[in-house]
Amino acid sequence: MSKRIAFIGGGNMASAIIGGLIGQGFAPDHIDVVEPFAEAQEKLKNLYGIVAQAQSGAFLAGAAMVIWAVKPQTFKEAALQVRPHTKDALHLSVAAGIRSDSIARWVGTERVVRAMPNTPALIGKGITGLFARPAVTAEDREWVSQVVATTGESLWLETEDQLDAVTALSGSGPAYMFYFMEAMMDAGTDMGLSRAQACQLAVATFIGAGELARSSGEAPEILRQRVTSKGGTTHAAISSMEDDNIKAQFVRAMHAARRRAQELGDEFGDA
């Protein structure tokens, strides 16, 4: 991966990818960043020695890949400024909701890949859903896979609308986990544990359960059943949640996230 890469946006997700690239031996002087905010500029300089530019310019013409890490509402404006310099580049977007047809129109090329990462990418433990437009070559896909691999796992999707489901499941998913950790901590303190004790127990439980699910190869339903003896403590908790219809409410919440991802594309993806 010796080709030049430009990042439009230098926030947390861009920083995670940059850190992963550099950690894999990619040269910092082969990375350009456009980032208007001074705080983010300073962070990139301190962490990686990269001097970000406040505005787009002719320097972007050297980029073989452009990674879009901007907010959905600012994507179009930023793209129109970048477009004159990067029509020959491969474009990789990590912006939620913005569809590839909008991106292709704005940047002036069909070589567009959409990605939906999640925040564990910040520590190299993320998972990213990927969708490529037809003009993206096998070589392009391989390069994208190599870049994304620096932040964790990835999977390629067959249709673009699946990215909205990925957004609801894994993109927003870490927040669901933290939400349930909060609830476990609240319950723990109600039952006499200190906040620190409850936090340690909740976090370790999520990490351990995730690793068990990964290593066992068995369905979560089977793993749950194995620790849910009828008449036992876990059965009492699961029964209480079933009585409150928690699973159905959780599924409904994820559908709400998916709908919002679709709305972002409608709202900010105009021609």
Side-chain angles (χ1 to χ4, degrees):
M1 294 190 294
S2 61
K3 299 176 183 177
R4 196 166 195 87
I5 298 176
F7 288 79
I8 311 302
N12 286 336
M13 193 54 64
S15 184
I17 299 172
I18 290 169
L21 286 169
I22 293 174
Q24 294 293 320
F26 194 85
D29 59 5
H30 279 58
I31 297 173
D32 294 304
V33 181
V34 177
E35 172 51 60
F37 293 104
E39 184 177 349
Q41 290 177 359
E42 191 67 20
K43 181 179 177 180
L44 290 168
K45 185 176 181 180
N46 291 337
L47 286 176
Y48 310 119
I50 292 173
V51 178
Q53 304 299 316
Q55 295 181 328
S56 304
F59 64 92
L60 293 172
M65 178 187 289
V66 178
I67 298 179
W68 292 89
V70 295
K71 296 183 185 304
Q73 58 266 37
T74 63
F75 200 135
K76 182 180 180 181
E77 180 182 358
L80 296 180
Q81 294 173 6
V82 169
R83 175 175 176 153
H85 312 295
T86 61
K87 289 183 180 180
D88 295 328
L90 171 64
H91 291 258
L92 171 62
S93 168
V94 299
I98 303 299
R99 301 184 185 104
S100 67
D101 57 353
S102 296
I103 298 170
R105 286 196 302 270
W106 297 340
V107 301
T109 178
E110 288 291 315
R111 290 176 65 216
V112 173
V113 175
R114 274 188 64 195
M116 175 43 60
N118 61 8
T119 55
L122 297 170
I123 58 168
K125 296 291 186 179
I127 186 163
T128 300
L130 296 165
F131 170 78
R133 290 181 70 81
V136 175
T137 66
E139 183 181 1
D140 290 337
R141 281 175 174 253
E142 177 60 27
W143 192 18
V144 168
S145 293
Q146 290 175 13
V147 169
V148 172
T150 65
T151 65
E153 301 178 40
S154 66
L155 73 160
W156 287 94
L157 304 169
E158 295 180 3
T159 61
E160 186 166 6
D161 61 355
Q162 290 177 308
L163 275 179
D164 292 329
V166 172
T167 301
L169 182 65
S170 58
S172 298
Y176 313 151
M177 303 300 103
F178 300 143
Y179 188 75
F180 278 102
M181 286 183 197
E182 290 178 56
M184 292 170 71
M185 290 167 61
D186 288 345
T189 55
D190 286 346
M191 293 183 285
L193 296 171
S194 71
R195 194 72 177 171
Q197 288 172 326
C199 180
Q200 183 179 353
L201 289 164
V203 171
T205 299
F206 269 81
I207 292 172
E211 287 299 325
L212 180 59
R214 180 199 293 272
S215 62
S216 72
E218 294 183 300
E221 180 183 4
I222 300 299
L223 296 173
R224 173 180 58 78
Q225 290 172 351
R226 284 188 179 156
V227 294
T228 312
S229 303
K230 192 168 184 179
T233 59
T234 309
H235 184 265
I238 296 294
S239 295
S240 177
M241 286 189 272
E242 288 293 314
D243 289 343
D244 291 335
N245 215 19
I246 296 297
K247 184 185 287 187
Q249 292 185 45
F250 188 29
V251 170
R252 186 162 61 248
M254 293 179 63
H255 278 283
R258 178 175 178 266
R259 284 195 301 273
R260 183 53 185 155
Q262 294 170 328
E263 290 168 359
L264 287 172
D266 294 336
E267 187 174 352
F268 301 114
D270 59 317

